[in-house]
Amino acid sequence: MTNAGMDADTFAQFMEQLERYVQERLIPAEKDVIANDAIPEDIVAEMKDMGLFGLTVPEDFGGAGLNTAQYAQVVKTMAYAAPAYRSIFSINVGMFNSAIKNGGTDAQKAEWWPRIASGEIACFGLTEPGSGSDSAAMATTAKPDPDGNGWILNGSKRYITNAPHADVALIMARTEKEAQPKNAHVSAFIVPMDTPGMSVGKSDKKMGQAGSHVADVMLDDVHVPGEALLGGETGKGFRFAMQSLDNGRISVGAASTGYAKRALDSATQYANERQAFGEPIANFQLIQQMLAESWTEIYAAEAMMADVTARVDRGENTVKHAAAFKVFASEMCGRVVDRVVQIYGGAGYLAEYDAERFFRDARIYRIYEGTTQILQLQIAKHMLREWRAAV
């Protein structure tokens, strides 16, 4: 069934407003974000008022009701500014909401959709010190509470985006030692961050993306009621997580595309202003080659984004396509920011110029929501499965 999303005219007006907001409000505030390693509180409040934390939540529950194609456009536009601005709301929209939509009970939707649409911040607890892509090594456990119908969670999660600010976490935990089918031992739990036994480590120091925060989440005898189990069934958590990761990967692909465009625009301006041998370096053909290659790759990523999001909104299985888009867009962004440093020359290595920041910020896109290498394996697995099914 096709997801039509927001009315086209209304969405066009929203995007026009958003583009102005990015240019006039977010980009000018970037120096403050970097200096303080935090988004100003008034900007976070403005983003909540604009509905950015509930973009894909249905309108009946207080959200904007965007479809995936529209959501990706918003992410791409927001990602033209510092990555922290996207990071603060993207887990809500791309992962937490997706998991609620795909696996939540009616009661869970009724409780959590209005809360995240109003601006409560979510985090997504999958990765652990000893497991990331390998769910079989997951050590966090959820055991039935002997005193009631709930669960007791113990374990820790690592590299959790937004953990220091989050109001709620979606925690993946082992509910059985092993189970069939594969990964049926993992279940998902909706856990408010103020639940006794929940604690957050100090924010990790990172290579880039100032203003976004990543930290460990520790669970020490965390008691949750039975209704915290996503979907009301054990053994479905990993599937819900993977489905939401498809949405998260589209978000990262869109962010990579938007940030690559920002970097290229910066390099184009610099190349026209920087003089060498009595003329702008933009006149030199090898500079033009780097500009042209970058524009071409961004265009290809935009075309992939349009295709994969249209497939999602038509209800197709897009595991392979979402992985391919994320791989291409994130690797593309890495190549673009590398060229941008080269175009800036010596200035590109100095922290006072944007090129150096673009280079550091972009590196994580190739790692989180599935590394390039893990996603390549996933793409190949689906290719081979499809080929074998066809012969």
Side-chain angles (χ1 to χ4, degrees):
M1 184 176 179
T2 300
N3 183 355
M6 182 183 285
D7 169 76
D9 290 339
T10 306
F11 181 67
Q13 292 171 4
F14 173 74
M15 288 301 297
E16 185 178 335
Q17 175 193 5
L18 187 67
E19 287 165 8
R20 282 200 309 271
Y21 184 69
V22 168
Q23 293 293 335
E24 298 172 8
R25 183 76 169 114
L26 298 187
I27 290 176
E30 286 178 344
K31 288 184 179 179
D32 286 342
V33 171
I34 294 165
N36 299 312
D37 193 24
I39 304 172
E41 290 184 8
D42 56 342
I43 289 182
V44 175
E46 290 164 7
M47 290 169 62
K48 290 180 180 182
D49 289 342
M50 292 174 69
L52 294 178
F53 287 78
L55 290 170
T56 55
V57 172
E59 291 182 75
D60 290 347
F61 292 86
L66 300 190
N67 61 23
T68 305
Q70 292 169 335
Y71 163 57
Q73 287 290 340
V74 171
V75 169
K76 177 171 167 282
T77 298
M78 287 290 292
Y80 193 86
Y85 297 123
R86 178 203 73 101
S87 184
I88 194 71
F89 73 86
S90 66
I91 305 298
N92 272 37
V93 183
M95 308 200 41
F96 189 86
N97 176 49
S98 179
I100 295 291
K101 176 185 174 183
N102 292 326
T105 63
D106 289 343
Q108 288 166 342
K109 292 173 182 176
E111 178 178 2
W112 288 104
W113 269 345
R115 293 177 65 168
I116 64 171
S118 69
E120 290 196 27
I121 298 172
C123 65
F124 189 82
L126 175 62
T127 303
E128 297 185 0
S131 73
S133 304
D134 177 17
S135 73
M138 184 174 292
T140 298
T141 60
K143 296 181 179 179
D145 186 341
D147 298 326
N149 72 334
W151 299 84
I152 303 174
L153 278 62
N154 282 282
S156 62
K157 298 294 179 177
R158 176 152 290 177
Y159 310 134
I160 305 304
T161 301
N162 288 341
H165 318 294
D167 300 294
V168 61
L170 189 67
I171 299 291
M172 306 299 143
R174 179 186 292 268
T175 44
E176 296 184 53
K177 287 188 176 180
E178 295 298 337
Q180 292 297 327
K182 183 182 178 183
N183 298 315
H185 60 289
V186 180
S187 303
F189 296 85
I190 304 170
V191 186
M193 294 296 286
D194 61 1
T195 305
M198 289 285 281
S199 60
V200 178
K202 66 179 182 179
S203 188
D204 292 317
K205 292 184 178 180
K206 312 186 306 303
M207 179 187 292
Q209 303 223 355
S212 69
H213 294 276
V214 175
D216 289 0
V217 174
M218 284 72 72
L219 301 96
D220 183 14
D221 284 342
V222 175
H223 290 245
V224 296
E227 53 266 30
L229 176 63
L230 185 66
E233 288 185 70
T234 61
K236 299 292 181 69
F238 192 79
R239 179 164 62 85
F240 295 146
M242 291 302 100
Q243 288 173 341
S244 59
L245 278 174
D246 285 349
N247 211 305
R249 286 161 184 165
I250 289 171
S251 177
V252 174
S256 301
T257 306
Y259 208 48
K261 188 174 187 305
R262 168 73 181 282
L264 179 58
D265 286 350
S266 173
T268 304
Q269 178 179 341
Y270 184 83
N272 278 285
E273 294 173 349
R274 174 75 167 90
Q275 297 275 326
F277 306 102
E279 60 182 317
I281 64 171
N283 291 351
F284 302 152
Q285 289 183 335
L286 291 178
I287 297 292
Q288 292 175 4
Q289 179 195 30
M290 288 188 282
L291 294 173
E293 285 181 342
S294 297
W295 186 91
T296 301
E297 290 197 89
I298 292 169
Y299 176 48
E302 289 173 336
M304 290 181 76
M305 186 176 89
D307 178 73
V308 69
T309 57
R311 289 175 182 272
V312 173
D313 289 332
R314 289 196 299 267
E316 296 180 18
N317 184 322
T318 57
V319 172
K320 182 174 66 173
H321 296 83
F325 171 51
K326 195 270 186 182
V327 167
F328 179 81
S330 62
E331 294 286 343
M332 173 276 293
C333 187
R335 290 189 293 270
V336 169
V337 296
D338 186 71
R339 293 185 197 114
V340 168
V341 170
Q342 198 71 9
I343 290 168
Y344 269 77
Y349 202 69
L350 302 182
E352 66 184 278
Y353 291 90
D354 286 339
E356 179 266 354
R357 168 168 64 99
F358 298 152
F359 188 85
R360 288 184 293 103
D361 284 347
R363 189 60 183 86
I364 189 63
Y365 289 140
R366 293 148 64 187
I367 296 173
Y368 61 12
E369 320 298 11
T371 65
T372 292
Q373 289 70 35
I374 283 291
L375 295 184
Q376 286 171 331
L377 293 177
Q378 188 178 72
I379 292 164
K381 179 181 74 175
H382 283 271
M383 289 172 61
L384 294 171
R385 182 184 297 164
E386 290 163 6
W387 183 85
R388 288 164 183 157
V391 296

